[in-house]
Amino acid sequence: MHRVRVRVAEDALDANATIAAANRADFERAGVTVVNLMSAPGSGKTTILERVLADGSTIGRGVRVGVLEGDVQGSLDADRLADLHVPVAQLDTGHGFGGECHLDANMVRSALPLLDLEAIDLLIVENVGNLVCPAEFRIGEDARVMVSSVAEGEDKPLKYPLMFRTCELVVVNKLDLLPHVDFDLDKFLYHLDAVHPGVAHVEVSARTGEGVDVLRSWLAALPDRAGRSALG
Amino acid sequence: MHRVRVRVAEDALDANATIAAANRADFERAGVTVVNLMSAPGSGKTTILERVLADGSTIGRGVRVGVLEGDVQGSLDADRLADLHVPVAQLDTGHGFGGECHLDANMVRSALPLLDLEAIDLLIVENVGNLVCPAEFRIGEDARVMVSSVAEGEDKPLKYPLMFRTCELVVVNKLDLLPHVDFDLDKFLYHLDAVHPGVAHVEVSARTGEGVDVLRSWLAALPDRAGRSALG
């Protein structure tokens, strides 16, 4: 039984890699840079997006943003973003028994017809809130960004190393709660460096807006870094 | 491909149900009541256990507690609890690529030899931090308890309904953060009641200790409610 399960898992990951490559080719053709945005439930992904996109659908350097929302159930997050004049598409993963615990390349592929890729330069895919499975499934992204809130504890990089190891940027959120929680930021960064030496991080409070400019600039520069500017 | 994957998932759940029933029979024979403790990463499961067990390995009514820790990687949580003079066994789920995202009945079964079931009345199984998959896999438990922290947001019952629907008790944790977060407790309870009408809840702060007595009493009464007291 155990060997059968492992075999199936490998097949699923092989198939995922194939479809992720196809997604990536489509994104490259359309000149779209893709960010896979991941975190635990309630870390503040949607609130961060609301802040980043508060001034409209471009975020500097003329970069036009679109969002793909993955939710186990409902369209709460997509509804929140719909007020922001940003193209938002919704993936409902709740067809399984308890819903999918991650987005995979095929789910993202199924949403591509909902998106006008020609009208955006940067697609931000908000993954399902989960620190395990989303890290295992590429969706065709250029960069992975994860959010970790100070309310979750400084041990998280050690407990979920794959997630912290596979991302290009770690957003430390809820900085405004630092005086009220037992969270040593230096210790968190030390643990982060242990599992992913040299990874970039930004410190933000989506609630107060602190640090959001830095994140917005990082995202706005991403199409250039990916060699995929609107002109390219 | 899709049909094959669904079939495998059903088989896995069927096998899980079979093994969960075997676990349950073993627990009943040994007079052990089992709690499956679930939450998102960083909701405070381990800190709650530290508080509940701070006075020793019995929690009132002479109920002797043991803990089974499920972690993706490392033994951080088990190490924290080892100071408490409570029998603690550790399940390391990190053998897969990114680790398992939940405990299943077979993993729990593999840990049974590590536990002296005759020496405990209540076994608390701390599941992997995840609001999706753990809800799908019974492990042979009598009750499911989930923790949701006020830092995670009042929308969580709507976004992860299966988890909130399948538990007997919801622990609302981090009450001490209420003045510092945008969390309307009444709204959270309204959402909770929408997905799981009438479910019990307790409000605690594992940090300050507020409400922990109520939770401890609920847990201490569980063997009686399950018809499985130390005498029975």
Side-chain angles (χ1 to χ4, degrees):
Chain A
M1 180 61 194
H2 186 63
R3 283 174 66 184
V4 172
R5 288 184 62 197
V6 170
R7 185 63 210 145
V8 169
E10 284 173 355
D11 280 351
L13 286 173
D14 284 351
N16 188 73
T18 302
I19 301 168
N23 289 351
R24 181 130 188 167
D26 286 355
F27 292 137
E28 279 181 13
R29 234 185 327 269
V32 176
T33 303
V34 179
V35 169
N36 187 353
L37 181 63
M38 303 181 285
S39 80
S43 300
K45 293 186 296 302
T46 312
T47 311
I48 286 172
L49 285 181
E50 285 176 321
R51 280 281 184 181
V52 164
L53 302 170
D55 296 333
S57 60
T58 60
I59 55 166
R61 301 189 182 208
V63 170
R64 301 163 299 168
V65 177
V67 176
L68 178 60
E69 281 291 335
D71 258 331
V72 173
Q73 183 104 5
S75 58
L76 286 175
D77 291 349
D79 294 346
R80 284 169 63 185
L81 295 175
D83 296 335
L84 294 173
H85 309 292
V86 173
V88 176
Q90 163 80 34
L91 261 180
D92 183 350
T93 74
H95 302 298
F97 172 40
E100 293 289 340
C101 56
H102 60 276
L103 296 183
D104 66 20
N106 204 36
M107 293 180 220
V108 169
R109 191 157 193 80
S110 73
L112 295 188
L114 305 174
L115 293 159
D116 179 5
L117 293 181
E118 300 300 330
I120 57 181
D121 306 303
L122 180 69
L123 176 65
I124 302 177
V125 182
E126 184 178 338
N127 216 310
V128 178
N130 182 346
L131 288 184
V132 187
C133 311
E136 301 178 14
F137 291 83
R138 290 271 164 192
I139 57 174
E141 70 273 54
D142 295 275
R144 301 176 135 199
V145 175
M146 72 159 294
V147 182
S148 192
S149 116
V150 304
E152 291 164 34
E154 63 216 15
D155 59 350
K156 290 299 159 292
L158 302 180
K159 295 185 70 175
Y160 302 92
L162 181 67
M163 175 63 76
F164 285 86
R165 195 175 287 139
T166 60
C167 57
E168 276 73 36
L169 181 72
V170 175
V171 181
V172 184
N173 190 26
K174 306 196 187 181
L175 267 200
D176 54 292
L177 289 182
L178 267 185
H180 311 295
V181 293
D182 299 319
F183 182 93
D184 181 332
L185 184 56
D186 287 337
K187 207 175 271 184
F188 174 86
L189 295 175
Y190 179 83
H191 292 159
L192 177 59
D193 196 62
V195 302
H196 192 165
V199 65
H201 84 278
V202 295
E203 301 166 14
V204 312
S205 165
R207 194 177 189 223
T208 68
E210 183 183 353
V212 170
D213 280 353
V214 180
L215 174 59
R216 194 186 288 114
S217 298
W218 191 94
L219 291 168
L222 203 56
D224 269 352
R225 285 205 299 283
R228 212 175 299 172
S229 72
L231 303 172
Chain B
M1 179 64 193
H2 185 62
R3 282 173 66 182
V4 172
R5 288 183 62 196
V6 170
R7 185 64 209 143
V8 168
E10 283 173 357
D11 280 351
L13 286 173
D14 284 350
N16 189 74
T18 301
I19 302 169
N23 289 353
R24 180 128 188 170
D26 287 355
F27 292 137
E28 279 180 14
R29 236 186 325 269
V32 176
T33 304
V34 180
V35 169
N36 187 353
L37 181 62
M38 303 180 285
S39 81
S43 300
K45 293 187 296 302
T46 313
T47 311
I48 286 173
L49 286 181
E50 285 177 320
R51 279 282 184 179
V52 165
L53 302 170
D55 295 334
S57 60
T58 60
I59 55 167
R61 301 190 183 205
V63 171
R64 299 163 301 167
V65 178
V67 176
L68 178 59
E69 281 291 335
D71 257 332
V72 174
Q73 182 105 3
S75 59
L76 286 175
D77 292 347
D79 295 346
R80 284 169 63 185
L81 296 174
D83 297 335
L84 295 173
H85 309 291
V86 174
V88 177
Q90 163 80 35
L91 261 180
D92 183 351
T93 74
H95 302 297
F97 172 39
E100 291 290 341
C101 57
H102 61 275
L103 297 183
D104 66 21
N106 203 35
M107 293 181 218
V108 169
R109 192 157 193 79
S110 73
L112 295 188
L114 305 174
L115 294 160
D116 179 4
L117 293 181
E118 299 302 329
I120 57 180
D121 307 304
L122 181 69
L123 176 65
I124 302 178
V125 182
E126 185 178 338
N127 215 311
V128 178
N130 181 346
L131 288 184
V132 186
C133 312
E136 300 178 15
F137 290 84
R138 290 270 164 193
I139 57 174
E141 70 272 54
D142 296 274
R144 302 176 134 200
V145 174
M146 73 158 295
V147 181
S148 193
S149 117
V150 304
E152 291 164 32
E154 64 216 13
D155 58 350
K156 289 299 159 292
L158 302 181
K159 294 185 71 175
Y160 302 91
L162 181 68
M163 175 62 76
F164 285 85
R165 194 176 288 139
T166 60
C167 58
E168 276 72 39
L169 181 71
V170 175
V171 181
V172 184
N173 190 27
K174 306 195 188 181
L175 266 198
D176 55 292
L177 289 182
L178 267 185
H180 310 294
V181 293
D182 299 320
F183 182 92
D184 182 333
L185 184 56
D186 288 338
K187 207 176 272 185
F188 174 86
L189 295 175
Y190 179 82
H191 292 158
L192 177 59
D193 196 62
V195 301
H196 192 165
V199 66
H201 83 279
V202 295
E203 300 166 15
V204 312
S205 165
R207 193 178 189 222
T208 68
E210 183 183 354
V212 170
D213 281 353
V214 181
L215 173 59
R216 194 186 286 115
S217 299
W218 191 93
L219 290 168
L222 203 56
D224 270 353
R225 284 206 301 281
R228 210 176 301 172
S229 71
L231 303 172

